[in-house]
Amino acid sequence: MLSTIKIVLVETTHPGNIGAVARAMKNMKMHNLWLVAPKIFPSADATSRASGADDVLAGATVCRTLQEAIADCQLVIGASARGRTISWPELTPRECAEKILINEPGNGRDGSQQSCGIHTIPGDKVAIVFGRENSGLKNHELDLCHFLLRIPCNSEYSSLNIAAAVQIVCYELFVTSGLAAQEEIFVGDKGEEPLATAAQMESFYTHLAEALTDIGFMHPAKSKSIMRRLRRIYNRIQLDTKELDILRGILRMSQGHKRNTDV
Amino acid sequence: MLSTIKIVLVETTHPGNIGAVARAMKNMKMHNLWLVAPKIFPSADATSRASGADDVLAGATVCRTLQEAIADCQLVIGASARGRTISWPELTPRECAEKILINEPGNGRDGSQQSCGIHTIPGDKVAIVFGRENSGLKNHELDLCHFLLRIPCNSEYSSLNIAAAVQIVCYELFVTSGLAAQEEIFVGDKGEEPLATAAQMESFYTHLAEALTDIGFMHPAKSKSIMRRLRRIYNRIQLDTKELDILRGILRMSQGHKRNTDV
């Protein structure tokens, strides 16, 4: 159940923290660790702080970009301590665990119930992303996330150690997963289309930007803020692959116009 | 509210862990740290890992025995990973926070309701005690506790780092105290545009159908199923008025194209 959840660490500076994260994960029965461009890895410091969780370290996947780490995920949640200019839907660790693990009837993808009714179905892959020790995730990385994860804490001293943050999140997942298992809350959404992956969404956004430029709606140079707004919109919906096909069909047709016009 | 709760560390071996505990506490607005016979303290390692929570370290009380640390406390809770020969009443971190912070009627000190009905009243002092890194609390120390605190975790790998354990407990205390709600920097989407009304959405759908017809994406006669799909998508997002303006701007531009083409 927890095996479909990746913990992704972006550009971690101190290898000791990577080890402490591995330990925090294994304590809560989680094993799927991804490291995006870690400064030093592998490292004796990491192994020492992992303290018996070296199997998690040994199984960790190292990659170059966040995009690679989340490419196959249907739901991406980014930890953030700061507010953002464009506000993004936020979850506490408990809400995060419930969103990932509890499939409530009516909270599925039928769209009928909730404004931000993004919910996974069993088998969907989830990434929870943690940023650099000093500066967290950058805006362009947060833009890749459906939700921000904000850990409740002292507003005057809000910087948690990265392993402490991972510990809280994994603890909430573990506690929630136990309840879910006992109560057999799963109500599948069988027969649904699979959700679009992050990679599919990225190629949609590329296509969208092209099409909006083609139809003259925006100039590439001034497009950043508009594209972020549009990402905020489409990330919120969590499109399935069929819906994505429809939207891309629309984009293609708009572009077709353009080409016809140009002839 | 949290100021009456002491975190007590017994014979901690690694000073870095003391620093990490101080940080974990301050992150959750707790400041009352007691150290029973620490192996090395003060220490540069402790200060470095405290990372800005050195005020908690500086204010820590060092004493020789656990009895001294808990002498003025009405409720003493001891963290334990192992079961005991003589079973002791146990609490999860969440139950621990509720027991300390929520004063339910009938759960007070009248003793009439519950066998383990120990509850504090406002002003009572509470100690939460954490043992040695390798061996935890000894039996004679656990005997001083009203309750054992057991953190839910992987039974095959149950030894949490001491700072990770303190982090989970302080996090549950902070969340249960209600301080979390007060501290939130922003909740929800304050300062955002108002959400679109149903009437605004209807005129958006009308406009969308027109535009899709104009660009040749669909024929009005066969459009029903596509329009229902699109409604399903856009109803799910709950657009705000600014976002709706952006989308309608896009539609207008596609139509503009069309008109230019027709000329």
Side-chain angles (χ1 to χ4, degrees):
Chain A
M1 194 173 186
L2 298 178
S3 61
T4 55
I5 306 171
K6 296 179 183 179
I7 299 294
V8 181
L9 308 184
V10 177
E11 293 186 8
T12 311
T13 307
H14 301 291
N17 281 332
I18 298 176
V21 164
R23 180 174 180 180
M25 288 172 63
K26 187 171 176 180
N27 280 143
M28 299 298 154
K29 281 209 147 182
M30 294 185 53
H31 294 86
N32 201 349
L33 176 62
W34 285 63
L35 305 171
V36 177
K39 193 161 177 194
I40 305 165
F41 186 83
S43 141
D45 270 2
T47 308
S48 150
R49 288 279 294 283
S51 184
D54 25 12
D55 53 333
V56 176
L57 286 184
T61 308
V62 179
C63 58
R64 281 184 315 116
T65 67
L66 177 55
Q67 280 86 344
E68 285 176 63
I70 64 172
D72 63 345
C73 293
Q74 281 87 358
L75 178 60
V76 182
I77 299 171
S80 171
R82 293 166 299 139
R84 306 195 71 201
T85 325
I86 298 180
S87 77
W88 219 253
E90 289 187 3
L91 300 173
T92 65
R94 199 161 301 167
E95 290 165 345
C96 168
E98 287 166 358
K99 189 159 284 292
I100 295 171
L101 297 167
I102 300 179
N103 289 80
E104 296 166 31
N107 271 351
R109 291 190 204 129
D110 55 18
S112 58
Q113 296 276 336
Q114 300 206 337
S115 53
C116 293
I118 298 180
H119 259 266
T120 55
I121 59 174
D124 277 356
K125 288 194 176 163
V126 179
I128 307 179
V129 185
F130 295 83
R132 298 147 193 88
E133 287 97 330
N134 289 327
S135 54
L137 293 170
K138 300 183 173 166
N139 272 342
H140 70 87
E141 291 160 343
L142 290 169
D143 287 345
L144 301 172
C145 301
H146 298 101
F147 291 95
L148 301 192
L149 171 72
R150 192 190 292 270
I151 298 177
C153 64
N154 183 349
S155 58
E156 286 158 16
Y157 183 71
S158 62
S159 166
L160 274 79
N161 168 267
I162 185 172
V166 170
Q167 183 69 75
I168 289 173
V169 173
C170 293
Y171 159 77
E172 285 282 9
L173 286 164
F174 186 77
V175 169
T176 302
S177 74
L179 288 173
Q182 287 165 28
E183 297 172 12
E184 293 192 343
I185 296 167
F186 274 112
V187 178
D189 277 347
K190 277 172 196 162
E192 292 257 19
E193 303 293 328
L195 289 181
T197 63
Q200 289 168 326
M201 287 307 292
E202 277 312 309
S203 65
F204 167 69
Y205 287 125
T206 306
H207 193 172
L208 180 62
E210 279 174 14
L212 293 179
T213 307
D214 286 355
I215 67 168
F217 176 75
M218 68 184 196
H219 295 278
K222 300 188 216 156
S223 65
K224 262 200 178 162
S225 139
I226 288 286
M227 280 309 297
R228 284 179 70 193
R229 284 258 171 200
L230 289 168
R231 269 178 185 273
R232 180 181 184 275
I233 294 175
Y234 288 101
N235 272 351
R236 199 152 92 223
I237 340 184
Q238 213 177 24
L239 295 162
D240 69 33
T241 48
K242 173 116 189 178
E243 291 168 334
L244 202 64
D245 284 344
I246 294 175
L247 295 181
R248 295 197 63 162
I250 294 175
L251 295 180
R252 268 191 303 276
M253 288 308 284
S254 336
Q255 291 177 299
H257 254 302
K258 172 66 181 168
R259 277 177 211 122
N260 294 340
T261 323
D262 290 349
V263 171
Chain B
M1 194 172 188
L2 298 178
S3 61
T4 56
I5 306 171
K6 297 178 182 181
I7 298 295
V8 181
L9 308 185
V10 177
E11 293 186 6
T12 312
T13 306
H14 299 291
N17 281 332
I18 298 176
V21 164
R23 179 174 182 180
M25 289 173 61
K26 187 171 176 181
N27 280 141
M28 298 298 154
K29 281 212 144 180
M30 295 186 53
H31 293 87
N32 202 348
L33 176 62
W34 286 63
L35 305 172
V36 176
K39 193 163 175 190
I40 304 164
F41 186 83
S43 141
D45 269 3
T47 308
S48 148
R49 289 280 294 282
S51 183
D54 24 11
D55 53 332
V56 176
L57 287 184
T61 307
V62 179
C63 59
R64 280 185 317 115
T65 68
L66 177 56
Q67 280 87 344
E68 282 178 66
I70 65 173
D72 62 347
C73 294
Q74 281 87 359
L75 177 60
V76 181
I77 298 170
S80 172
R82 294 167 298 139
R84 305 195 71 200
T85 326
I86 301 177
S87 78
W88 220 251
E90 288 186 4
L91 300 173
T92 66
R94 201 161 300 169
E95 290 164 345
C96 168
E98 287 165 0
K99 188 160 283 295
I100 295 170
L101 296 168
I102 299 177
N103 290 82
E104 295 165 34
N107 271 350
R109 295 203 196 112
D110 55 18
S112 60
Q113 297 274 334
Q114 300 204 335
S115 54
C116 292
I118 298 179
H119 257 267
T120 55
I121 59 173
D124 278 357
K125 288 192 176 167
V126 179
I128 308 179
V129 186
F130 295 83
R132 299 149 193 86
E133 287 97 328
N134 288 326
S135 55
L137 293 169
K138 298 184 173 167
N139 273 340
H140 70 86
E141 292 160 342
L142 289 170
D143 288 346
L144 300 172
C145 301
H146 299 101
F147 292 94
L148 300 193
L149 171 72
R150 192 188 292 270
I151 298 176
C153 65
N154 184 350
S155 57
E156 286 158 17
Y157 183 71
S158 63
S159 167
L160 273 77
N161 169 267
I162 184 172
V166 170
Q167 183 72 74
I168 289 172
V169 173
C170 292
Y171 159 78
E172 285 283 9
L173 286 164
F174 185 75
V175 169
T176 302
S177 73
L179 287 171
Q182 296 167 24
E183 294 280 324
E184 296 239 346
I185 302 164
F186 56 86
V187 182
D189 281 348
K190 275 177 195 160
E192 288 256 278
E193 304 297 322
L195 291 181
T197 63
Q200 289 169 325
M201 288 306 292
E202 279 311 312
S203 68
F204 166 71
Y205 289 127
T206 307
H207 192 171
L208 180 63
E210 276 173 20
L212 294 179
T213 309
D214 284 355
I215 66 168
F217 177 76
M218 68 187 193
H219 296 279
K222 300 189 216 157
S223 65
K224 263 197 176 167
S225 138
I226 287 287
M227 280 310 296
R228 286 181 67 194
R229 282 261 170 200
L230 289 167
R231 273 178 183 271
R232 180 180 186 273
I233 294 174
Y234 288 102
N235 273 348
R236 199 153 90 222
I237 338 182
Q238 216 175 20
L239 295 163
D240 69 33
T241 49
K242 173 118 189 178
E243 292 168 337
L244 202 64
D245 284 344
I246 294 174
L247 295 181
R248 296 197 62 163
I250 296 174
L251 295 180
R252 268 191 302 279
M253 287 307 284
S254 334
Q255 292 178 300
H257 254 304
K258 172 67 182 169
R259 281 181 207 119
N260 294 340
T261 323
D262 289 349
V263 171

